[in-house]
Amino acid sequence: MIELKILVDFSLVILIWLVQIIIYPSFLYIDSIKFKDWHQSYMQKISFFVIPLMFIQLGLSFFSLMKQIDLLSSLHLLFIILSWCFTFFLSVPLHQKLTEKGFDELILKKLIQTNFPRSLTWTMTCIISSASFILSKQG
């Protein structure tokens, strides 16, 4: 199970850093007239990947914590909860504004800026699950 946990965590890390470094900054270069339709399409397509991964990650983390309550499992779940908070209290409302208003440079820059903590929390989940895997092989 720990291998699946690492795979899911690593998938989200790759995805979030692509979003942080390439995808969100590229929003600034999309034609403002076409932006609203393009953003709606983007949201549907990215959700197809992100939502299942987030739920699988959360489920695996809960299962792992129920199996063995320890510091790494607790930290893993904590960073997932933080990622969800960043997602649903920062990113989702900004995306909703973009869906309603269309192109808005200030909102886009805020989206890029507020995505950085989410990138870090998902990176931490991957580091923690990797550390758990290494420790499990040592003893």
Side-chain angles (χ1 to χ4, degrees):
M1 183 189 73
I2 195 160
E3 292 88 354
L4 180 58
K5 204 165 128 181
I6 293 170
L7 178 65
V8 171
D9 289 346
F10 189 70
S11 297
L12 281 164
V13 165
I14 295 297
L15 183 65
I16 198 67
W17 283 106
L18 286 171
V19 166
Q20 180 66 34
I21 296 169
I22 299 169
I23 298 170
Y24 281 177
S26 72
F27 283 12
L28 293 165
Y29 300 98
I30 296 169
D31 183 347
S32 61
I33 295 169
K34 297 177 182 177
F35 183 85
K36 200 170 186 179
D37 290 335
W38 184 90
H39 183 259
Q40 180 126 8
S41 174
Y42 164 79
M43 291 299 293
Q44 290 172 344
K45 291 173 184 173
I46 197 76
S47 295
F48 179 79
F49 295 97
V50 174
I51 292 171
L53 284 171
M54 286 178 69
F55 276 102
I56 291 167
Q57 183 187 48
L58 183 63
L60 290 171
S61 189
F62 270 122
F63 182 76
S64 179
L65 189 62
M66 294 302 126
K67 188 176 168 190
Q68 180 176 344
I69 298 175
D70 60 16
L71 179 62
L72 289 178
S73 295
S74 299
L75 286 173
H76 188 263
L77 183 57
L78 173 66
F79 280 105
I80 291 171
I81 291 168
L82 287 172
S83 296
W84 279 59
C85 288
F86 289 133
T87 298
F88 293 104
F89 295 121
L90 294 175
S91 298
V92 169
L94 291 171
H95 278 293
Q96 288 173 337
K97 286 180 182 178
L98 290 169
T99 298
E100 293 166 9
K101 289 183 167 184
F103 185 90
D104 185 312
E105 187 174 344
L106 291 175
I107 295 172
L108 290 170
K109 287 182 176 179
K110 189 169 185 177
L111 183 65
I112 295 165
Q113 183 181 38
T114 60
N115 190 63
F116 187 71
R118 185 167 62 151
S119 300
L120 294 178
T121 55
W122 264 329
T123 300
M124 287 303 300
T125 62
C126 192
I127 291 169
I128 292 166
S129 60
S130 298
S132 293
F133 177 73
I134 292 166
L135 290 172
S136 75
K137 296 299 177 185
Q138 290 179 349

